[in-house]
Amino acid sequence: MASLPYRDNTSRPSNYGRGGDDDEDEDEEEADESGFKSSKDAVLFAIDVSESMLTRPTDGDEKKSDAVLSPTLAALKCAYALMQQRIMSNPSDMMGILLFGTEKSKFQEGDEETGRGGLRYPHCYLLTDLDIPAAADVKQLRSMVEEEEEAADLLVASKEEVSMANLLFCANQIFTTKAPNFSTRRLFLVTDNDFPHASNRDARNSAAVRAKALYDLGVTIELFPISHPDRGYTFDRSKFYNDIVYSASPSDPDAPAPLTADIKPASSTAKDGISLLQALLSSVASRSAPRRSMFSHMPFEIGPGLKISVKGFILIKRQEPKRTSYIYVPPDSDKPQIVTGVGQLVADDTARTVEKAEVRRAYKFGGETVSFSDAELAKIKNFGDPVIRIIGFKPLSMLPVWAQPKQNYFIYPSEEDFVGSTRVFSALHQKLLRDQKMAIAWFIARRNANPTLIALIPGREQRSDGGEQIMPPGLWIKHLPFADDIRAPPETEMVKAPDPLIDAMRTVVQQLQLPKAVYDPGKYPNPGLQWFYRILQALALEEDLPEKAEDKTLPKWKQIHKRAGPYVVEWGKVLEEQYRVWQKENDRQPRIMANGGAKRAGGAAPAASNGRSAKKAKADDGGDAGEGGITDAEMRAAFAKDAVGKFTVADLKGWMQGKGIKAGTKKAEIVDAVNGWHETKMETD
């Protein structure tokens, strides 16, 4: 089914979060993040170190360091960036770096001294073994990408051609010994050679056999090709790599199609403004995260007697710093020790230790305590087996924006339980898209979970300008609230904006739209999370602590002022005019208080406590503040012409009271205070 190029890369992942601990409170009403299933991921970079890969581009911009990197160094920097990211965001994942085509050879520690590495896997150098990255690995890789002398000592191309069969067998051995039980194992192959062993057919066949062995082992090969337009060379995967790189996932060979199309060859030049490093980072980012499944083998009942199987995913999940353990430093030692938490139940009155078998769950009801055994609770919560059951269809326009009490899930067909699920799912998806409908369904996420009503919303596929998939097509599960979940809105006194004010604001909004009128979350990293990671990295790698966090969410004030500043000022003038009109129509005039604030008088005088009508409030200086005073527009114009001093002291004081500005009694001091207020406001704006 080509219209749904999305697949699951996990094979029966283990539960994440609960850990099977009986002490955990299992009262959760829904399968939320505690039921989130995660698969450990192992990524091995295989980077080509040939003469062409070590050659820097001839027409790169020398002022931009990224534009003059050799392809090999760009790939190492890309691996370094990915390692920095994964060491904190995915602390259980493994990563390694294997260089091939080098003069030196190393497979295990000590091979360089003994020379055994060259015997087993010649011209293959295991720079970083496949393991959970440690601070030492990050330091080593950082020195490689930042210090040219150390890199030049190792990055020497061999005169002999490296055997691709040996390379793939070496990767096979690494995955087998280091990550035998990982459900997601991937080999990232970075090279510019599209036709290895051009004159040796037997060597090409041997490489294809080794690639098939990797596929049977459950390893996915991802190819990151590199072209050299400045040399008239374009990578052609059909010559060799179509027999090496499999499009299907080894863990789910019946999946409809790969997640994205083949990765386009990255250009070693930067004529189009995108450096090789940026292109590699973008390509690797699109494949770096394995697909995390929320549930699998979920029955999906479309109608009576029509049932298929689907898998659920969390595509958008809030990322938080992950703490791996608690530690403490003993008083007699400087070495931190890992501590393990142990809990026990104690009677409130006697402090006697209570065994788990003696405990029952209790709930308050009208001052009484009602207790249940685990078996009774399980029976009360049992609404049937997990299922998604469609009960009807509604127009998408009937779904309110606020109706979202929980996180959305994404579902995709699975052929594991019902053959033909993909075809039926695709038909439903396309029909809902074409008619702009949504399905209302009954959803039980797991056993003993409370049922919920959900809306199944069809989602279109979204791709970037480079053809990479941003969002897959499929159905989104949106939880709908019950009557018990809706709270009464607060009472508010609303004043509807008049049409001239709305028209003026429309121009401001049009000037401040994001590029293509779309919010792209990939451009805005979480500043708090990145700041925490940066501090953590600096402490772990003994780097200098950063002075300021990089926050890409900060507004670009100068650009905003340039594009929308005049329109905002114009809107302010319209606001003042419409506010005066509203005051007259509703008989509401503000009066100046003694403390400099403004108090709004109501349209009708409130009744006094003795039943008589209260007197109308007057301004402190005896007149109505809205009549005969200086307007903000007049004061701004006088400030722009440096003519604030033309106003009388009484008028200036009246205007300053409305703004809460304090100054001396002399006119010069008052004028300075007004000018200073305007200058401060301009700097803030």
Side-chain angles (χ1 to χ4, degrees):
M1 186 177 65
S3 61
L4 293 169
Y6 186 78
R7 68 173 188 271
D8 169 45
N9 282 343
T10 61
S11 58
R12 312 264 183 176
S14 58
N15 286 331
Y16 176 84
R18 288 193 182 275
D21 192 349
D22 292 337
D23 290 338
E24 295 288 341
D25 186 6
E26 297 181 0
D27 281 345
E28 297 180 16
E29 300 290 337
E30 185 53 59
D32 53 8
E33 293 183 4
S34 63
F36 181 71
K37 294 182 179 180
S38 174
S39 60
K40 291 183 178 180
D41 186 34
V43 174
L44 178 65
F45 271 87
I47 301 174
D48 192 0
V49 187
S50 60
E51 289 289 350
S52 58
M53 287 284 288
L54 293 174
T55 303
R56 296 188 178 189
T58 56
D59 52 356
D61 188 354
E62 295 292 339
K63 296 180 180 179
K64 299 179 180 179
S65 58
D66 291 349
V68 294
L69 287 175
S70 68
T72 297
L73 274 179
L76 284 172
K77 276 201 170 186
C78 178
Y80 173 59
L82 183 63
M83 182 179 288
Q84 284 180 301
Q85 171 196 343
R86 302 290 283 274
I87 197 174
M88 297 177 186
S89 60
N90 304 87
S92 299
D93 290 353
M94 288 186 175
M95 184 173 168
I97 300 174
L98 175 65
L99 305 177
F100 66 95
T102 57
E103 189 67 32
K104 296 182 179 180
S105 304
K106 189 185 83 167
F107 179 65
Q108 292 177 340
E109 292 296 332
D111 281 354
E112 286 186 284
E113 290 77 10
T114 61
R116 295 178 57 191
L119 297 176
R120 287 186 288 182
Y121 305 106
H123 309 303
C124 293
Y125 192 95
L126 189 58
L127 179 64
T128 303
D129 204 355
L130 186 64
D131 204 343
I132 297 175
D137 299 325
V138 181
K139 288 181 180 179
Q140 179 189 10
L141 194 53
R142 182 185 62 189
S143 62
M144 281 283 297
V145 299
E146 293 181 355
E147 299 178 12
E148 295 185 3
E149 294 181 359
E150 183 170 345
D153 183 50
L154 176 60
L155 301 181
V156 179
S158 65
K159 298 178 181 178
E160 302 176 0
E161 185 179 17
V162 65
S163 169
M164 293 302 295
N166 266 349
L167 169 66
L168 297 175
F169 186 56
C170 179
N172 190 316
Q173 292 296 304
I174 294 172
F175 281 117
T176 303
T177 56
K178 294 295 183 179
N181 299 320
F182 277 47
S183 57
T184 313
R185 292 177 287 185
R186 293 173 296 165
L187 177 65
F188 286 3
L189 188 59
V190 185
T191 182
D192 64 347
N193 185 5
D194 60 2
F195 200 20
H197 313 299
S199 59
N200 191 338
R201 185 173 182 177
D202 292 338
R204 297 198 300 272
N205 292 338
S206 297
V209 171
R210 294 298 186 189
K212 182 64 168 61
L214 274 174
Y215 179 84
D216 293 339
L217 186 65
V219 177
T220 303
I221 301 177
E222 300 282 8
L223 177 65
F224 297 92
I226 295 175
S227 296
H228 302 287
D230 55 334
R231 308 172 206 169
Y233 171 74
T234 302
F235 195 98
D236 184 3
R237 66 176 66 236
S238 64
K239 293 181 179 179
F240 174 76
Y241 282 99
N242 280 352
D243 297 329
I244 301 297
V245 179
Y246 289 73
S247 60
S249 168
S251 60
D252 191 3
D254 297 327
L259 174 65
T260 62
D262 290 333
I263 295 175
K264 295 182 178 180
S267 171
S268 62
T269 62
K271 292 181 179 180
D272 55 355
I274 301 177
S275 68
L276 174 61
L277 176 61
Q278 291 172 320
L280 282 176
L281 285 173
S282 175
S283 299
V284 170
S286 67
R287 303 291 178 100
S288 62
R291 302 299 150 190
R292 314 281 187 175
S293 63
M294 179 70 188
F295 50 78
S296 58
H297 312 287
M298 175 68 72
F300 184 17
E301 295 183 10
I302 300 177
L306 179 58
K307 183 186 294 185
I308 63 175
S309 179
V310 295
K311 292 182 179 181
F313 301 85
I314 296 179
L315 298 189
I316 302 173
K317 182 176 181 293
R318 179 177 175 83
Q319 187 69 37
E320 297 177 353
K322 294 189 177 181
R323 173 187 46 79
T324 57
S325 60
Y326 286 106
I327 65 169
Y328 87 108
V329 180
D332 56 345
S333 174
D334 294 335
K335 186 177 180 181
Q337 303 290 329
I338 296 178
V339 296
T340 303
V342 178
Q344 60 179 188
L345 300 173
V346 180
D348 189 28
D349 51 353
T350 63
R352 180 181 69 88
T353 301
V354 180
E355 300 296 332
K356 291 183 181 179
E358 305 177 69
V359 176
R360 292 166 62 93
R361 296 185 184 272
Y363 297 86
K364 290 282 187 180
F365 183 81
E368 298 292 331
T369 301
V370 183
S371 63
F372 299 93
S373 65
D374 291 341
E376 291 171 335
L377 272 180
K379 190 173 182 180
I380 292 173
K381 291 184 175 183
N382 185 16
F383 284 86
D385 293 331
V387 69
I388 300 175
R389 183 181 295 118
I390 292 180
I391 58 179
F393 298 90
K394 292 286 184 182
L396 269 175
S397 57
M398 294 185 65
L399 182 65
V401 177
W402 49 263
Q404 184 171 334
K406 294 184 180 179
Q407 184 179 24
N408 294 340
Y409 303 147
F410 176 83
I411 60 174
Y412 193 81
S414 170
E415 299 282 331
E416 294 176 353
D417 294 335
F418 298 94
V419 177
S421 295
T422 301
R423 185 182 300 273
V424 176
F425 186 93
S426 176
L428 174 65
H429 173 260
Q430 294 177 23
K431 178 63 175 176
L432 292 176
L433 268 181
R434 185 166 54 250
D435 295 350
Q436 287 297 292
K437 299 280 188 179
M438 63 178 174
I440 307 300
W442 171 271
F443 178 44
I444 302 178
R446 56 183 173 83
R447 294 185 186 276
N448 298 331
N450 287 347
T452 59
L453 282 177
I454 60 172
L456 294 175
I457 303 174
R460 296 183 183 275
E461 181 187 28
Q462 298 179 18
R463 289 184 176 270
S464 65
D465 296 337
E468 295 177 351
Q469 190 183 73
I470 301 174
M471 193 62 67
L475 295 179
W476 289 89
I477 290 180
K478 182 172 183 176
H479 294 84
L480 300 177
F482 289 107
D484 317 73
D485 303 327
I486 300 176
R487 300 181 180 181
E491 295 183 2
T492 56
E493 182 183 357
M494 295 182 59
V495 179
K496 185 177 179 180
D499 290 340
L501 197 61
I502 296 174
D503 294 338
M505 179 53 70
R506 181 180 291 110
T507 306
V508 175
V509 173
Q510 290 173 348
Q511 293 298 318
L512 296 180
Q513 280 198 359
L514 292 169
K516 300 181 181 179
V518 174
Y519 168 70
D520 183 6
K523 295 182 179 179
Y524 305 99
N526 184 340
L529 188 66
Q530 296 302 319
W531 177 243
F532 175 82
Y533 284 165
R534 187 67 187 90
I535 295 293
L536 190 61
Q537 174 185 326
L539 293 175
L541 303 182
E542 299 177 354
E543 299 175 344
D544 294 335
L545 291 176
E547 297 180 357
K548 185 179 180 182
E550 182 181 5
D551 188 356
K552 294 185 178 180
T553 64
L554 289 175
K556 299 179 180 179
W557 301 111
K558 292 183 179 179
Q559 190 173 355
I560 291 174
H561 179 71
K562 181 179 179 181
R563 297 182 61 178
Y567 300 105
V568 174
V569 173
E570 182 64 28
W571 180 84
K573 295 179 180 178
V574 177
L575 176 61
E576 290 182 2
E577 296 172 0
Q578 295 298 321
Y579 179 58
R580 290 196 185 93
V581 173
W582 177 85
Q583 283 179 319
K584 292 179 181 179
E585 292 177 351
N586 295 272
D587 192 20
R588 295 193 178 186
Q589 301 293 337
R591 62 185 181 87
I592 305 301
M593 305 297 292
N595 60 359
K599 183 176 181 180
R600 187 179 65 194
S609 58
N610 57 3
R612 294 176 299 177
S613 62
K615 294 182 179 180
K616 187 175 181 180
K618 292 185 178 180
D620 292 345
D621 24 4
D624 190 15
E627 298 178 2
I630 306 173
T631 65
D632 290 346
E634 292 172 343
M635 185 61 77
R636 275 198 303 269
F639 169 76
K641 298 177 181 179
D642 196 18
V644 175
K646 72 176 184 178
F647 298 114
T648 64
V649 173
D651 289 338
L652 289 172
K653 283 187 175 181
W655 185 86
M656 290 169 60
Q657 283 180 340
K659 302 298 181 182
I661 305 173
K662 296 182 180 180
T665 56
K666 296 181 180 180
K667 185 172 182 179
E669 296 175 347
I670 295 174
V671 171
D672 289 342
V674 172
N675 289 333
W677 183 87
H678 278 90
E679 291 171 355
T680 304
K681 191 173 186 302
M682 289 181 63
E683 292 176 359
T684 305
D685 293 341

